[in-house]
Amino acid sequence: VQLQASGGGLVQAGGSLRLSCAASGLAFRNYAMGWFRQAPGKEREFVGHINWSGDSSYIASSVKGRFTISRENAKNTAYLQMNNLKPEDTAVYYCAATKEYGSLVPDYWGQGTLVTVSS
């Protein structure tokens, strides 16, 4: 199983980025997809997740209204759209696949992509 996260980079505060997570080696449409992040010196934080069909999602309160999660099962890809980015959003972002929607213990992790937001 591989979860390849991409799309990270350096962006100014107020800007936007879209992260992608390309999955292979698993039945993608059987898994909920989630995003987590870990800022320097901090614990990993749950960002949000989306169910297998894409018709239900949950976003953490810390990013609600700015971040959205989506997926394209035909492309085995999940996305994290991040708008109005703030310096405190700087972190390594990880995607994850979970058999059970709502679980915060993923079955598989991606390798992470770094997002840096400058003030």
Side-chain angles (χ1 to χ4, degrees), residues 71-92:
R71 65 189 293 161
E72 287 187 81
N73 286 346
K75 294 184 178 181
N76 285 2
T77 302
Y79 304 97
L80 179 66
Q81 178 67 45
M82 306 184 294
N83 298 328
N84 190 22
L85 283 160
K86 303 176 181 180
E88 53 263 42
D89 295 319
T90 294
V92 177

Side-chain angles (χ1 to χ4, degrees), residues 3-6 92-95 109-113:
L3 301 177
Q4 185 73 37
S6 62
V92 177
Y93 284 72
Y94 299 89
C95 62
W109 288 96
Q111 89 289 1
T113 186

Side-chain angles (χ1 to χ4, degrees), residues 1-6 19-35 50 52 70-79 94-98 107-111:
V1 174
Q2 275 198 322
L3 301 177
Q4 185 73 37
S6 62
L19 306 183
S20 298
C21 177
S24 60
L26 79 170
F28 183 72
R29 63 180 63 246
N30 289 346
Y31 286 81
M33 296 300 296
W35 290 92
I50 188 167
W52 69 273
S70 61
R71 65 189 293 161
E72 287 187 81
N73 286 346
K75 294 184 178 181
N76 285 2
T77 302
Y79 304 97
Y94 299 89
C95 62
T98 310
D107 296 282
Y108 302 104
W109 288 96
Q111 89 289 1

Side-chain angles (χ1 to χ4, degrees), residues 4-78:
Q4 185 73 37
S6 62
L10 175 63
V11 63
Q12 287 188 332
S16 298
L17 282 174
R18 188 177 80 157
L19 306 183
S20 298
C21 177
S24 60
L26 79 170
F28 183 72
R29 63 180 63 246
N30 289 346
Y31 286 81
M33 296 300 296
W35 290 92
F36 296 75
R37 67 184 183 183
Q38 187 164 20
K42 294 189 176 181
E43 294 187 352
R44 190 169 294 187
E45 173 190 16
F46 170 71
V47 174
H49 52 200
I50 188 167
N51 71 342
W52 69 273
S53 64
D55 62 0
S56 179
S57 64
Y58 176 85
I59 296 290
S61 58
S62 59
V63 299
K64 195 171 185 177
R66 300 188 296 120
F67 291 13
T68 56
I69 294 177
S70 61
R71 65 189 293 161
E72 287 187 81
N73 286 346
K75 294 184 178 181
N76 285 2
T77 302

